[in-house]
Amino acid sequence: MGNDEFIELYNPTGSPIDISGWLIRGSNNAAAVSTRATINAGTILQPGQYYLVAHTGYSGPVPADQTYGTGITNDGGVALTLPDTSTIIDQVGLSMGSAYREGTPQIPLTTNVDRGYERRIGGVNGNCQDDDDNFTDFFLVNPSKTQDIYSPIVL
């Protein structure tokens, strides 16, 4: 559902990361891909800081740091890439046909209800478990709990 979509980026490292020019790329269930957003110039995430990228129709309680216009299909996937489009920083999928997924994909969310997938806390990985399996790395949050660049730092 494009109008309720959002993507949270998070810096789990101990150093600032310049994400300027990084891309949010979407895939449908047939592996067709395109760029949804290019992260604004001058965007540096401090350790433990979030960045909220949301569809233009998003109406959540936390304002988006940046918006995009073309939604992600319910059974597609999304990736964060470097500007070269081929270097994938991270990815999550909602079907085996998505070009973007790691291991077993998550279950598609097909109704317009306030919920979303969030990464599990990962011990030494901070708020960012990444075992390269979308089904075990993420859990369903209902209602969603969006965080933006002004949210409290979480280390």
Side-chain angles (χ1 to χ4, degrees), residues 6-10 45 48-54 58 60-66 145-154:
F6 63 88
I7 301 158
E8 277 182 357
L9 304 180
Y10 173 73
L45 287 185
Q49 191 171 40
Y50 290 89
Y51 190 76
L52 183 61
V53 184
Y58 164 80
V62 176
D65 297 306
Q66 186 172 336
K145 299 174 185 170
T146 52
Q147 299 163 98
D148 67 0
I149 204 161
Y150 301 106
S151 295
I153 299 292
V154 179

Side-chain angles (χ1 to χ4, degrees), residues 2-58:
N3 64 348
D4 59 355
E5 290 178 359
F6 63 88
I7 301 158
E8 277 182 357
L9 304 180
Y10 173 73
N11 178 359
T13 74
S15 301
I17 298 176
D18 185 348
I19 61 171
S20 304
W22 289 18
L23 305 173
I24 303 286
R25 309 243 320 141
S27 169
N28 65 15
N29 66 0
V33 299
S34 66
T35 298
R36 300 308 200 267
T38 302
I39 304 300
N40 294 327
T43 303
I44 298 173
L45 287 185
Q46 298 302 316
Q49 191 171 40
Y50 290 89
Y51 190 76
L52 183 61
V53 184
H55 188 271
T56 53
Y58 164 80

